[in-house]
Amino acid sequence: MTQLSDPRRGWTSASSAEYDLLCPARHLAQKGLSEGRSLDADFGQRIHAALAKRNPEGLDSDESDVFAACMEIEGREVAKFFPGIDPKKLVSFPEHRLWVKFIQEIDGAKVTLEHSAQPDRVYRVIGYPRALVIEYKTLTGDVPESPRNLQLRDQAVLVKPHYLVSEVGVMVIQPFVTHQPEICLYQEADLVQAEQEMFVRVRASNDPRSGRIPGDRQCKFCLAAKMGTCIEYQRWAGGMMPVMLSLMDVAPKDWPPETRKLFCDRFDIAQKWLNDCWAAMETGATADPKFIPGYAMQTGAIREEIVNPQPVFERYIEIGGTPESFLECVKVIKTRLKDRLKIITGASGIKLEAKLKELASGCIEAKPNKASLKKVEER
Ligand code: SF4
């Protein structure tokens, strides 16, 4: 886990626009709370950094493939958005944070509010009143994003005065979802309306009188939910539990279909609530050993891994082992083998996949994961 300083300087930002609209108190409820980043976010972060530099150096083969796909989609769509433009006049700007300041009156006092957006890349043409904003979504688990979402709308609003343009197109490049992204074009009047709506939302987010409105989307990543400091979330998510408990009289296999559906619909929220409560107990017990009578934080089990196999192999041979029997103890990590193969052959993308397939042909055992229950479209 890596802890990062807050680039938003404690103000609202476009990235949480949708959640702030759903719960106007969410921004202030999270003030002063923090948590680390996940490894998956670091994977996305590395690709974003490479796309900002336009250089895939240092990425592993999977990350390089995503980088190449983003660049390919971007080149094609930019040419379509600025047709017939002299390429020498086309300029692009890597990720950078744009700020807006405005005045809010709270309890008779004038307060300066700030809000920011960080487009991943902005294209514009010198002497042409149009800009294109690009947002990259590079994780396999990313859900499909619409270019009409509030985050991109805020970005378009902030790009307009910064780049002195009157039309802004926005596009999400998400190679795991589609290679044919949609571009949403905001014209001058759309941008004026979007700006007004953005100001209303940001004012509400900075107003201590705004109410907390719990819900699935806004509470999912809210630190107030995770750290156990939001009573409204507590009531809403905890309210799922009595419904669960009322099912106790009948064995699950005998529940009627509508009860099964109700259980499945509410399972995620109830489980997240239990996990959030458990995380709050762990945080409390870490800070104060007497926090929970009869419970204490225990250090995790130590897992050992041989990270330098060469001397182990040499010692093994020295005491009479054979290379063949040593190989029986070795597990080859496919992604690392792919990285090595990329360096040796210089291949990437589909060609690299084909080379890996050829190299490992007849030597792979494929095991499906356990089947899992998922929500599907109702017929
Ligand atoms: S946990 Fe939910 S209700 Fe509470 S502040 Fe966060 S988003 Fe709002």
Side-chain angles (χ1 to χ4, degrees):
M1 294 283 201
T2 324
Q3 205 75 36
L4 298 179
S5 63
D6 179 15
R8 300 166 191 88
R9 308 195 300 239
W11 293 105
T12 52
S13 83
S15 56
S16 53
E18 182 198 340
Y19 309 136
D20 289 347
L21 182 69
L22 292 167
C23 175
R26 186 179 189 270
H27 170 65
L28 293 183
Q30 296 187 96
K31 279 235 156 169
L33 306 175
S34 69
E35 65 164 0
R37 299 180 60 81
S38 73
L39 280 177
D40 249 10
D42 289 341
F43 173 96
Q45 210 67 42
R46 282 195 297 276
I47 301 173
H48 270 72
L51 286 164
K53 290 183 286 175
R54 315 266 92 176
N55 181 355
E57 208 179 302
L59 296 183
D60 70 21
S61 55
D62 287 344
E63 292 162 349
S64 297
D65 288 350
V66 179
F67 172 91
C70 288
M71 293 295 288
E72 188 269 316
I73 297 167
E74 185 173 320
R76 178 171 22 88
E77 296 301 323
V78 167
K80 271 199 249 168
F81 189 75
F82 296 104
I85 293 290
D86 177 358
K88 286 196 217 92
K89 290 192 172 173
L90 183 67
V91 277
S92 84
F93 304 87
E95 60 180 355
H96 56 297
R97 192 161 286 276
L98 305 174
W99 289 89
V100 62
K101 282 187 186 182
F102 56 100
I103 305 292
Q104 154 94 320
E105 205 170 297
I106 299 177
D107 294 335
K110 289 206 162 116
V111 182
T112 303
L113 301 181
E114 294 187 42
H115 178 68
S116 70
Q118 181 166 294
D120 287 337
R121 186 155 288 267
V122 178
Y123 279 88
R124 70 159 303 197
V125 173
I126 297 158
Y128 194 66
R130 182 180 250 210
L132 177 63
V133 172
I134 291 173
E135 172 78 10
Y136 304 111
K137 296 280 177 200
T138 54
L139 299 179
T140 39
D142 279 342
V143 290
E145 283 283 356
S146 162
R148 289 163 212 286
N149 75 19
L150 273 189
Q151 177 183 3
L152 288 154
R153 200 163 179 246
D154 273 18
Q155 289 182 0
V157 169
L158 270 74
V159 158
K160 177 179 176 271
H162 193 86
Y163 291 97
L164 300 175
V165 290
S166 54
E167 271 185 5
V168 183
V170 294
M171 161 174 74
V172 189
I173 294 186
Q174 39 194 347
F176 284 109
V177 176
T178 178
H179 280 231
Q180 305 292 335
E182 178 196 356
I183 294 181
C184 173
L185 183 65
Y186 290 97
Q187 290 176 324
E188 189 137 30
D190 306 321
L191 291 168
V192 170
Q193 188 187 338
E195 184 182 53
Q196 292 310 316
E197 289 172 13
M198 182 184 83
F199 285 161
V200 170
R201 189 190 70 239
V202 175
R203 283 194 180 100
S205 287
N206 285 281
D207 188 339
R209 294 163 302 189
S210 294
R212 298 186 178 193
I213 304 174
D216 199 8
R217 293 181 67 75
Q218 61 270 40
C219 295
K220 188 167 183 185
F221 301 111
C222 180
L223 291 179
K226 180 132 191 152
M227 310 301 271
T229 60
C230 181
I231 194 72
E232 285 76 5
Y233 166 70
Q234 187 75 1
R235 287 191 191 118
W236 172 76
M240 303 291 167
M241 298 306 287
V243 177
M244 296 291 196
L245 293 172
S246 72
L247 306 177
M248 295 292 180
D249 293 341
V250 183
K253 71 176 182 47
D254 298 325
W255 289 343
E258 57 279 9
T259 306
R260 293 174 211 150
K261 181 174 184 321
L262 180 73
F263 174 84
C264 291
D265 284 347
R266 298 194 169 190
F267 178 80
D268 280 353
I269 297 167
Q271 188 177 52
K272 179 180 171 345
W273 177 71
L274 285 171
N275 289 343
D276 288 341
C277 292
W278 190 260
M281 293 302 103
E282 288 189 329
T283 305
T286 303
D288 172 9
K290 296 198 186 101
F291 190 66
I292 315 164
Y295 283 78
M297 293 300 287
Q298 306 281 308
T299 44
I302 309 277
R303 286 191 301 131
E304 288 190 340
E305 191 183 345
I306 294 175
V307 291
N308 186 4
Q310 186 65 36
V312 181
F313 174 73
E314 283 160 15
R315 288 173 209 150
Y316 183 79
I317 298 295
E318 238 176 71
I319 58 168
T322 63
E324 291 76 21
S325 62
F326 184 81
L327 278 177
E328 284 170 21
C329 315
V330 173
K331 190 173 174 186
V332 178
I333 300 166
K334 231 175 123 194
T335 48
R336 290 210 198 140
L337 182 65
K338 195 172 158 190
D339 290 344
R340 294 283 109 196
L341 200 57
K342 185 181 177 190
I343 295 167
I344 297 166
T345 64
S348 63
I350 297 170
K351 283 189 186 150
L352 181 61
E353 285 296 338
K355 288 207 178 290
L356 180 65
K357 203 169 168 190
E358 193 186 330
L359 184 72
S361 171
C363 307
I364 285 182
E365 185 185 44
K367 287 187 198 158
N369 280 339
K370 188 173 165 286
S372 61
L373 186 61
K374 290 259 171 3
K375 192 173 174 96
V376 290
E377 290 297 318
E378 282 182 72
R379 294 179 190 174

